[in-house]
Amino acid sequence: MKSNYKILSILACGLALSACQSTTAPSAPAPTSLGSAASEQSVIAYFSSMQTGGILLLNGRSADVYRVLIKHDERGYWIQDFYQASHRPQSSPVLLTNPADLNKISPTSVVGDLILYYRNGQVYQRATYNAQHQPTGQATTYNPQGKLIVQEENRADGSYSGRFWYPETLHQALSFEMNSKHQVTMAKGWDQQQHAIPSNQCFAEKTLNPKNQQDQCYQLLMQIYQTSATMAD
């Protein structure tokens, strides 16, 4: 399962496609054990690796992830994704309200808390989605060693704040704020050597989809998200 953070949906039309640096991911709750529910009869979908697009497959022979239907109740469909090779969870159990999402690697009808895991069992991302399927409150991303690399706050008034660190070095990389109209109201960026990026090169157009896609902070945000997605695969 892929994450569906608000910031990525805002960035989508521009793509070709909090704590300190030393903060460690909080211990994840033990993933729900499905026991016999993880049998072949309960598997409802197989997907290829994220590197190949998370394509829906006909069977598990070349699958990277499979999805189990835990139960169907009046609220919707409770599902959980697992890595095919290890049978370790790739996601926590989560509620989907749209049956069309049951065979999609990137469901858009998620409600409630969602945790995604690396293959080594470490937490990759944590987020919470409201009844309108929008991220709400804090969303965090960690590197495979459990160190915080992205911290986002989705506020009730529609505004947003994000802090980002270079995944490899954990040096600060980017910090910005947006209002409810998705206009960037504050932005600061730093290169790998921790030199400040000039303000006229840091979301100078006050948008996450600038006409000048050579804007250094825009490029940096793309780099961080792409690096974090590659780590997860």
Side-chain angles (χ1 to χ4, degrees), residues 187-227:
K188 295 180 180 179
W190 298 266
D191 64 20
Q192 289 275 20
Q193 288 72 45
Q194 295 298 275
H195 301 135
I197 295 173
S199 59
N200 65 357
Q201 278 295 314
C202 194
F203 296 122
E205 297 175 34
K206 309 301 182 186
T207 174
L208 294 187
N209 289 309
K211 293 179 181 178
N212 174 24
Q213 295 199 353
Q214 298 307 308
D215 179 283
Q216 290 183 45
C217 284
Y218 172 82
Q219 290 287 328
L220 181 54
L221 186 60
M222 298 299 95
Q223 173 191 329
I224 291 171
Y225 273 122
Q226 290 165 3
T227 300

Side-chain angles (χ1 to χ4, degrees), residues 4-6 9 108 110 112 128-137 154:
N4 187 31
Y5 286 0
K6 180 169 73 174
S9 64
T108 57
V110 173
T128 300
Y129 296 84
N130 61 23
Q132 289 71 47
H133 317 300
Q134 296 300 312
T136 182
N154 301 283

Side-chain angles (χ1 to χ4, degrees), residues 123-162:
V123 172
Y124 168 46
Q125 292 177 334
R126 293 175 180 267
T128 300
Y129 296 84
N130 61 23
Q132 289 71 47
H133 317 300
Q134 296 300 312
T136 182
Q138 191 173 96
T140 50
T141 301
Y142 304 88
N143 70 11
Q145 291 72 47
K147 301 298 183 180
L148 184 71
I149 56 174
V150 179
Q151 179 170 303
E152 303 175 290
E153 185 70 26
N154 301 283
R155 305 187 186 101
D157 64 1
S159 63
Y160 166 96
S161 67

Side-chain angles (χ1 to χ4, degrees), residues 50-61:
M50 301 302 177
Q51 287 183 340
T52 59
I55 298 168
L56 181 67
L57 302 173
L58 295 177
N59 55 59
R61 284 197 298 271

